[in-house]
């Protein structure tokens, strides 16, 4: 019997002093490495089921591991949810008593996901056998986002193509085939790996211009929203000359000149109007007036003159960019547009992308800012479901593409210790890499189809409990929606 980490936590709360001590298998080698070659192959020919989710909403915290969630909860509320004390080998796992403070932590399904790329794997004996275990087999956002978007595992840097570089159908395309509306929203550039993988097909994630061209011209997607405005810098200030990093000048001119299928919106007022309008355009391109990220790239006193983080800086030290919508406001606008665009339902992916950017830079204060922004966005989506839809027709999944930064407590290594902190103060945490790790990430789900996600969690990790393959999340939706 697999026990989810939410189930384990619930069991542990009966023991207030110590929470819960669990014994791992006699040998971690007894837990077979995760590998699912059969699941890498899409089950073509499957027809749509006559039941299942009408609407599917994926919320992806890029770089969001268990500890990224907890540092924000510690800062906001003074309590955590996933903290553990683990020695190398994970024979004894002591779980700190936790408290659910985020809306998604109350979802009925809470498991973990392996995020490795094609040709790699996840082995609990390696991950928990030594402190540097998670530093091996590190995936990137393109491979992991493609896995979440298509149910197919691929190589690092791949956008919507398999290991042989052949395009694979993603969930936005499948939604369109079923007459549903579809969209992607991100707090980072719209051509970055995660939003791109849910729309485009390209051999390399850095081909921003060709990815933008495909997203603009080659798909019937209803909503694309994200950063990358050529005329504004990271402080949302107008440039003297445009910088065409994330889309080419030709595409920008066509978009801003009304020559594409999309209506361009740029200001917070325009996003707010779309969130409540009874009639909305069928295709909307939302590009906030900021260079890449909504808030992460802004300057401020928490950074030195050369841009490096100031040690010990508190969250929200830097004044926020003005004239830029919040991620939750963009998500609200997207949901209303999609809801109006089709009576058959919708698929929406919303990415809290700058959690990853802050974690790459090892900026704890800005990682907390971005995680809090993502948390508020999830609350907005839940409110929409309960106000405009229902859990009987909508599936909401909250997860990450991978963990970034190897965030732990300051007294970790060679073992893993709980991150501690008080409300309103910077948690006592530290980083061990500027890159990604192969650590498991959380998966939370609620609504019709959520239990099927839980059924895919057939593997057992001695620390995080039951886990699935990240490709299984998309496969759950394809189980209902079919693959033509």
């Amino acid at each position: 019997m697999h026990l989810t980490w939410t189930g384990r936590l619930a069991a542990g709360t009966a023991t207030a002093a110590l929470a819960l001590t669990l014994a791992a298998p006699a040998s971690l080698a007894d837990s077979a490495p995760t590998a699912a070659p059969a699941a890498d192959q899409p089950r073509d020919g499957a027809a749509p089921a006559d039941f299942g989710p009408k609407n599917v909403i994926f919320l992806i915290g890029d770089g969001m591991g268990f500890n990224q969630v907890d540092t924000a909860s510690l800062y906001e509320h003074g309590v955590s949810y996933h903290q553990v004390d683990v020695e190398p080998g994970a024979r004894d796992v002591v779980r700190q008593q936790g408290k659910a403070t985020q809306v998604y932590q109350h979802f009925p399904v809470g498991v973990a996901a392996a995020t490795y790329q094609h040709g790699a794997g996840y082995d609990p004996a390696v991950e928990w056998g030594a402190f540097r275990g998670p530093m091996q087999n590190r995936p990137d956002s393109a491979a992991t986002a493609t896995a979440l978007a298509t149910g197919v595992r691929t190589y690092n840097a791949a956008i919507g193509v398999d290991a042989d570089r052949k395009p694979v159908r993603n969930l936005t395309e499948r939604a369109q085939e079923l007459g549903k509306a579809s969209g992607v929203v991100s707090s980072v550039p719209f051509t970055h790996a995660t939003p791109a993988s849910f729309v485009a097909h390209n051999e390399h994630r850095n081909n921003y211009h060709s990815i933008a061209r495909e997203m603009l011209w080659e798909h019937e997607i209803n909503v694309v929203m994200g950063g990358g405005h050529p005329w504004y810098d990271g402080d949302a200030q107008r440039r003297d000359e445009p910088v065409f990093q994330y889309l080419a000048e030709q595409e920008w001119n066509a978009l801003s000149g009304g020559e594409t299928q999309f209506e361009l919106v740029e200001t917070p007022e325009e996003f707010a109007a779309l969130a409540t309008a009874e009639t909305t355009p069928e295709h909307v391109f939302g590009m906030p007036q900021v260079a890449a990220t909504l808030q992460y790239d802004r300057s401020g006193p928490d950074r030195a003159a050369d841009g490096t983080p100031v040690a010990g800086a508190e969250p929200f030290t830097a004044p926020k960019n003005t004239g830029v919508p919040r991620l939750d406001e963009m998500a609200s606008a997207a949901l209303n547009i999609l809801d109006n665009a089709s009576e058959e339902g919708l698929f929406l992916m919303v990415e809290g992308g700058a959690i990853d950017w802050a974690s790459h830079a090892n900026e704890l204060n800005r990682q907390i800012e971005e995680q809090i922004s993502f948390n508020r966005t999830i609350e907005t989506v839940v409110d929409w479901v309960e106000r405009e839809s229902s859990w009987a027709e909508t599936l909401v999944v909250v997860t990450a593409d991978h963990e970034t930064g190897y965030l732990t407590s300051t007294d970790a290594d060679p073992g893993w210790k709980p991150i501690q902190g008080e409300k309103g103060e910077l948690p006592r945490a530290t980083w061990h890499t500027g890159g990604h790790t192969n650590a498991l990430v959380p998966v939370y789900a609620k609504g019709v189809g959520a239990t099927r996600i839980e059924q895919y969690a057939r593997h057992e990790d001695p620390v995080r409990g039951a886990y699935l393959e990240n490709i299984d999340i998309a496969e759950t939706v394809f189980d209902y929606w079919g693959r033509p």
Side-chain angles (χ1 to χ4, degrees), residues 293-474:
T293 68
L294 301 179
Q295 296 292 340
Y296 170 73
D297 280 327
R298 73 192 192 280
S299 57
D302 57 341
R303 288 178 175 169
D306 62 358
T308 57
V310 173
E314 294 286 333
F316 308 107
T317 300
K320 284 191 174 183
N321 286 338
T322 58
V324 177
R326 301 189 309 267
L327 182 62
D328 62 297
E329 293 173 328
M330 294 165 66
S332 290
L335 283 167
N336 195 40
I337 295 163
L338 298 180
D339 196 23
N340 289 341
S342 174
E343 295 182 357
E344 302 300 321
L346 61 86
F347 175 83
L348 175 64
M349 189 287 297
V350 182
E351 180 199 23
I355 298 169
D356 179 68
W357 292 46
S359 297
H360 274 298
N362 293 172
E363 289 184 90
L364 184 60
N365 66 319
R366 295 211 178 186
Q367 176 264 307
I368 290 170
E369 290 178 8
E370 295 299 331
Q371 184 66 52
I372 290 173
S373 171
F374 186 56
N375 291 344
R376 298 295 85 78
T377 303
I378 298 168
E379 292 170 4
T380 295
V381 169
V382 169
D383 288 345
W384 179 87
V385 173
E386 296 179 349
R387 184 182 67 252
E388 304 293 340
S389 179
S390 72
W391 295 111
E393 67 175 16
T394 298
L395 170 65
V396 173
V397 179
V398 178
T399 190
D401 48 1
H402 53 72
E403 193 274 345
T404 302
Y406 201 176
L407 181 59
T408 73
S409 68
T410 53
D411 56 350
D413 193 7
W416 297 265
K417 302 296 181 182
I419 298 175
Q420 306 285 349
E422 288 73 45
K423 182 178 180 179
E425 297 182 7
L426 204 65
R428 294 181 286 281
T430 193
W431 309 88
H432 300 278
T433 180
H436 300 168
T437 69
N438 195 35
L440 296 178
V441 297
V443 181
Y444 314 84
K446 183 175 181 178
V448 59
T451 55
R452 182 164 296 203
I453 291 176
E454 189 171 37
Q455 289 168 5
Y456 271 107
R458 305 184 184 107
H459 311 286
E460 186 76 15
D461 184 82
V463 177
R464 299 304 181 191
Y467 71 94
L468 44 70
E469 306 280 331
N470 58 359
I471 56 176
D472 294 333
I473 300 173

